[in-house]
């Protein structure tokens, strides 16, 4: 099941977040191309995930996770400035299940020019307070406002290449899959077409970067796809002239593997604004206000040492 979910996650996120006298198809492709070529834009995304499974009775921890996913309210505000080569996303996450609930904002600042990603240390503190993996005093403070993640942890160039691959693949979809009515273009693919699209995308991605997702083989991917039954993929796009203004992406699938069964539905709504206009960012990481990932790890190690040395009553 883990391999299947890995395949779905890789593909569905790209479907949802790739700012993924003409025919409906040509109008659709032109609107997406205009967005990708814009110097700047902002996107507000609302993400809903629904999970159904009958295999978690008697497993309260699994039931809790499913409940948290189904009750989650997730929004993401993304700002892109291609001239400055900066993308900033603030993810708002709120969910609850029974007595457990949490709310967290996760700002992420990405500099494509130097391939660096930054997050706020305050966000790390809030997350650690809610999920105390490492004992931490409430009075603990980080010396810097941001932490820079090691570049080998992610590859923004590879993500951009994947977006371009999806754009190229969209051109091969039949005109019959597109319909235009009242300024809205709907693209639909049946389950078998979705699976073929996913298979082609993964094969293309493999040929481009020469490697598979960590821990997977080509056989794992094909075996995983056999276990997935895709439902219809629907992409509804609202245009203003040749500009993309709103988009709704909906895709569902079921999985049956090793005696486990589950059904998943992902719905994403994107609203685009300030296309080609001036945009601003909430975060301003500099060398002076940023710590390295190594310094962060050293901070965690020191916290562990302090918790081992301090009497229990001194810890919150």
């Amino acid at each position: 099941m883990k391999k299947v979910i890995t395949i779905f996650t890789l593909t569905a996120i790209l479907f949802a977040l790739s700012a993924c006298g003409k025919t409906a198809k040509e109008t659709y492709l032109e609107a997406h191309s205009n967005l990708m070529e814009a110097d700047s834009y902002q996107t507000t995304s609302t993400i809903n995930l629904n999970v159904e499974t009958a295999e978690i009775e008697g497993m309260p921890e699994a039931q809790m996770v499913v409940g948290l996913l189904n009750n989650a309210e997730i929004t993401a505000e993304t700002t892109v400035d291609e001239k400055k080569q900066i993308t900033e996303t603030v993810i708002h996450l709120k969910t609850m299940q029974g007595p457990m609930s949490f709310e967290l904002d996760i700002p992420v600042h990405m500099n494509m020019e130097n391939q660096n990603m930054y997050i706020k240390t305050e966000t790390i503190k809030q997350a650690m307070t809610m999920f105390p993996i490492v004992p931490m005093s409430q009075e603990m403070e980080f010396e810097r406002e941001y932490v820079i993640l090691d570049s080998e942890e992610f590859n923004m160039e590879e993500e951009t290449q994947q977006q371009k691959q999806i754009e190229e693949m969209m051109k091969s979809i039949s005109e019959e899959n597109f319909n235009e009515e009242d300024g809205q273009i709907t693209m639909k693919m049946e389950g078998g077409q979705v699976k073929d699209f996913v298979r082609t995308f993964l094969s293309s991605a493999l040929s481009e970067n020469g490697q598979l997702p960590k821990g997977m083989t080509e056989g794992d991917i094909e075996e995983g796809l056999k276990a997935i039954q895709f439902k219809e993929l629907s992409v509804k796009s609202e245009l203003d002239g040749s500009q993309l203004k709103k988009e709704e992406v909906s895709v569902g699938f079921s999985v049956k593997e090793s005696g486990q069964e589950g059904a998943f539905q992902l719905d994403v709504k994107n609203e685009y604004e300030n296309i080609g206009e001036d945009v601003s960012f909430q975060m301003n990481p500099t060398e002076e206000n940023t710590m390295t990932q190594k310094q962060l790890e050293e901070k965690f190690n020191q916290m562990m040492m302090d918790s081992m040395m301090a009497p229990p009553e001194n810890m919150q």
Side-chain angles (χ1 to χ4, degrees):
M1 181 70 75
K2 183 178 179 181
K3 293 173 183 176
V4 173
I5 300 303
T6 299
I7 293 173
F8 167 71
T9 301
L10 174 65
T11 306
I13 289 178
L14 288 168
F15 271 129
L17 300 181
S18 62
C20 150
K22 298 182 175 68
T23 65
K25 174 181 175 179
E26 289 172 335
T27 303
Y28 173 89
L29 294 176
E30 180 184 28
H32 276 259
S33 178
N34 288 342
L35 180 66
M36 291 293 96
E37 293 175 0
D39 289 334
S40 58
Y41 61 89
Q42 291 177 302
T43 308
T44 300
S45 302
T46 303
I47 304 166
N48 290 304
L49 177 64
N50 184 69
V51 182
E52 296 180 4
T53 175
E55 298 298 321
I56 57 176
E57 294 182 6
M59 301 173 62
E61 292 183 358
Q63 181 70 56
M64 177 72 75
V65 171
V66 170
L68 290 171
L69 290 173
N70 289 340
N71 294 328
E73 299 176 13
I74 307 172
T75 59
E77 299 171 356
T78 300
T79 302
V80 177
D81 190 322
E82 293 291 351
K83 289 184 177 180
K84 294 182 179 179
Q85 288 286 283
I86 294 175
T87 296
E88 188 174 277
T89 298
V90 181
I91 301 172
H92 308 280
L93 176 60
K94 181 180 180 180
T95 188
M96 63 178 297
Q97 173 66 12
M100 183 177 181
S101 65
F102 63 87
E103 187 172 353
L104 183 65
D105 287 347
I106 309 172
V108 179
H109 186 96
M110 292 174 285
N111 187 313
M112 277 78 77
E113 184 177 7
N114 55 26
Q115 290 287 295
N116 288 333
M117 179 182 290
Y118 305 84
I119 60 174
K120 285 188 174 182
T121 50
E122 182 63 25
T123 301
I124 297 174
K125 181 179 178 180
Q126 292 176 4
M128 292 176 63
T129 300
M130 290 186 288
F131 307 100
I133 300 175
V134 178
M136 180 181 66
S137 169
Q138 294 289 347
E139 288 72 35
M140 191 278 297
E141 296 290 341
F142 289 96
E143 292 78 10
R144 306 289 177 88
E145 186 177 359
Y146 304 99
V147 58
I148 181 173
L149 301 182
D150 291 342
S151 58
E152 60 263 23
E153 297 295 330
F154 59 94
N155 189 326
M156 286 180 282
E157 289 184 354
E158 183 175 309
E159 180 178 337
T160 300
Q161 181 61 39
Q162 290 171 344
Q163 291 176 344
K164 291 180 179 178
Q165 288 172 359
I166 289 182
E167 281 192 89
E168 288 299 314
M169 289 172 60
M170 294 298 290
K171 297 177 182 179
S172 67
I173 298 176
S174 172
E175 295 275 2
E176 297 178 355
N177 293 86
F178 294 84
N179 179 61
E180 184 174 7
E181 185 176 356
D182 297 329
Q184 178 174 283
I185 296 177
T186 302
M187 189 281 290
K188 291 184 178 180
M189 287 196 292
E190 299 300 327
Q193 292 176 302
V194 178
K195 179 175 285 191
D196 290 340
F197 191 94
V198 172
R199 180 182 288 108
T200 301
F201 167 74
L202 293 175
S203 298
S204 176
L206 174 60
S207 64
E208 287 291 334
N209 59 35
Q211 62 182 5
L212 291 162
K214 187 175 181 180
M216 299 187 70
T217 66
E218 291 185 65
D220 290 331
I221 290 179
E222 191 58 39
E223 193 65 29
L225 287 174
K226 289 180 182 178
I228 302 176
Q229 293 298 319
F230 284 98
K231 301 177 183 178
E232 180 183 82
L233 167 68
S234 171
V235 182
K236 298 179 180 180
S237 303
E238 183 178 321
L239 309 181
D240 182 4
S242 60
Q243 291 285 8
L244 184 62
K245 302 301 292 184
K246 296 181 181 180
E247 191 165 54
E248 297 182 10
V249 181
S250 179
V251 61
F253 71 100
S254 60
V255 178
K256 185 175 182 180
E257 183 184 45
S258 303
Q260 296 178 315
E261 295 185 40
F264 303 79
Q265 179 66 39
L266 175 68
D267 297 293
V268 180
K269 295 182 180 180
N270 296 323
E271 295 188 20
Y272 304 94
E273 58 184 359
N274 296 327
I275 299 175
E277 301 178 6
D278 292 337
V279 294
S280 58
F281 299 98
Q282 298 182 23
M283 300 168 64
N284 183 33
T286 64
E287 186 175 350
E288 290 73 24
N289 64 14
T290 301
M291 64 193 305
T292 65
Q293 189 168 324
K294 182 178 180 181
Q295 290 173 325
L296 179 66
E297 293 169 355
E298 291 173 348
K299 182 76 172 180
F300 287 162
N301 291 336
Q302 185 60 50
M303 288 164 53
M304 288 293 294
M305 293 296 297
D306 291 344
S307 67
M308 293 169 57
M309 299 296 294
E313 61 267 21
N314 289 345
M315 299 301 297
Q316 299 294 326

